[in-house]
Amino acid sequence: MHTALISPNRQLRDTAYEPVRILPYYVDINLPADKEAYLKDTLVPSALKWLQTIVKVQRRTASEKLVVKVTNNEWFGIPVPTKHYTPGVDDIDSIIYMTMTGYGKSYAATVGTCAIDSGHRFIPIVGMTKINSNFIPKFTNDAMLHLV
């Protein structure tokens, strides 16, 4: 069991650290079927599997849902399904919204951590990846790790 001091007045609960559970949520992936399958069935799962071997978190309890705070049903311009903010998502620690964009030839993608659990965990709970469709399937698994 681990206990980590966050501030002089607050401590994390005494809970074991476990592999992070990340939900990739795909929005407007406009790719030919073979490239979309490569993205969803090979690249992203491989990257997430690797991340789960190195990133450990104090998981949410069964009664806690991950709730995405949205404005006008969007999050940084990405449509968010109602179930992600009302009532929230069970059994995950983080959501990565993945979408496509046309950046031109010099950008593979843009990524970011956009929300941090400000409660007792201080872990990224919502992220965004905008992938340049010109780079699929040129990505290697190493390149995809940088995206997630």
Side-chain angles (χ1 to χ4, degrees), residues 47-86:
L48 294 179
K49 184 177 178 180
W50 182 81
L51 280 172
Q52 289 175 328
T53 65
I54 63 165
V55 178
K56 310 291 186 207
V57 298
Q58 288 182 317
R59 289 186 171 172
R60 296 175 180 285
T61 64
S63 64
E64 296 175 301
K65 295 180 183 285
L66 187 144
V67 177
V68 178
K69 296 181 179 176
V70 298
T71 303
N72 298 324
N73 303 333
E74 289 187 347
W75 190 78
F76 287 90
I78 297 173
V80 173
T82 304
K83 66 182 178 183
H84 287 192
Y85 55 90
T86 305

Side-chain angles (χ1 to χ4, degrees), residues 38 43 46-47 50 138-148:
Y38 180 68
L43 287 178
S46 295
W50 182 81
K138 296 176 185 177
F139 282 118
T140 64
N141 284 341
D142 287 343
M144 195 62 197
L145 290 175
H146 294 286
L147 297 181
V148 295

Side-chain angles (χ1 to χ4, degrees), residues 2 10 12-13 18 31 41 45 55 58 65 94 115-116 121-123 140-141 143:
H2 301 280
R10 184 166 55 178
L12 290 173
R13 66 177 181 242
E18 299 178 71
L31 290 171
D41 300 335
V55 178
Q58 288 182 317
K65 295 180 183 285
S94 184
I116 305 262
R121 290 180 191 84
F122 290 95
I123 61 170
T140 64
N141 284 341

Side-chain angles (χ1 to χ4, degrees), residues 97-133:
Y97 291 102
M98 304 190 101
T99 189
M100 303 303 291
T101 189
Y103 279 124
K105 296 181 181 179
S106 61
Y107 294 96
T110 59
V111 298
T113 297
C114 300
I116 305 262
D117 184 340
S118 61
H120 60 279
R121 290 180 191 84
F122 290 95
I123 61 170
I125 57 173
V126 183
M128 169 184 62
T129 301
K130 291 186 178 183
I131 303 169
N132 183 346
S133 58

